Amino acid sequence: MRGRGFLREERGLLWMDALMLACILAAMAGCMHMYRISAQLRQENALQTTAIYLAESELDYLEAAEFEGELHAGSYEWLGLPEDLSQQGGSYEVQAVVEEDGAAMWHASAVVTWTFGSRSESIRMERLMRREKKNREIG
């Protein structure tokens, strides 16, 4: 009789071990899911940061063109290096529009669209620039 009680206690410990193992495996699976989500968010953040950089760069290129006296109202494609449009595992498109805003100002807006996998997102930045009156006469 004593042996029978001992075996019952062993079966109880076996079930408790199995339950503990199942809890540990469930916790590990949850951690892997959280890791996958954080990696995806990190990638999306890098893509968005690059898009902001490209939009600001395009507006800077337009401002430099205005300083040189070469800026006109209209649409502009990406003015930088072509390899800048494929960074961080995504592909980017940059479109800029410049409009006259009164006699003394330019209104420039840059839209950057990027794709990653099957998703597509965009960001828009705008800048007002003062028209520079250049004295182009020599002497």
Side-chain angles (χ1 to χ4, degrees), residues 56-66 78-81 84:
E56 288 179 348
S57 296
E58 182 74 357
L59 293 172
D60 289 342
Y61 286 128
L62 292 172
E63 197 164 355
E66 196 285 323
W78 172 241
L79 299 173
L81 299 173
D84 289 344

Side-chain angles (χ1 to χ4, degrees), residues 38-130:
S38 69
Q40 180 182 0
L41 289 174
R42 190 174 331 124
Q43 180 67 30
E44 289 175 5
N45 185 38
L47 291 169
Q48 186 177 23
T49 302
T50 302
I52 291 170
Y53 164 76
L54 291 173
E56 288 179 348
S57 296
E58 182 74 357
L59 293 172
D60 289 342
Y61 286 128
L62 292 172
E63 197 164 355
E66 196 285 323
F67 183 76
E68 296 294 324
E70 299 172 359
L71 186 67
H72 306 285
S75 297
Y76 291 85
E77 295 289 326
W78 172 241
L79 299 173
L81 299 173
E83 55 266 15
D84 289 344
L85 297 178
S86 58
Q87 298 182 36
Q88 303 291 338
S91 61
Y92 298 87
E93 286 184 27
V94 180
Q95 292 285 328
V97 176
V98 177
E99 300 170 339
E100 293 182 23
D101 192 2
M105 300 294 282
W106 291 109
H107 178 255
S109 62
V111 177
V112 179
T113 305
W114 68 94
T115 56
F116 180 69
S118 62
R119 292 183 53 188
S120 179
E121 294 188 37
S122 65
I123 190 169
R124 177 187 178 110
M125 298 184 84
E126 299 180 357
R127 186 179 293 176
L128 283 174
M129 296 180 285
R130 195 172 129 241

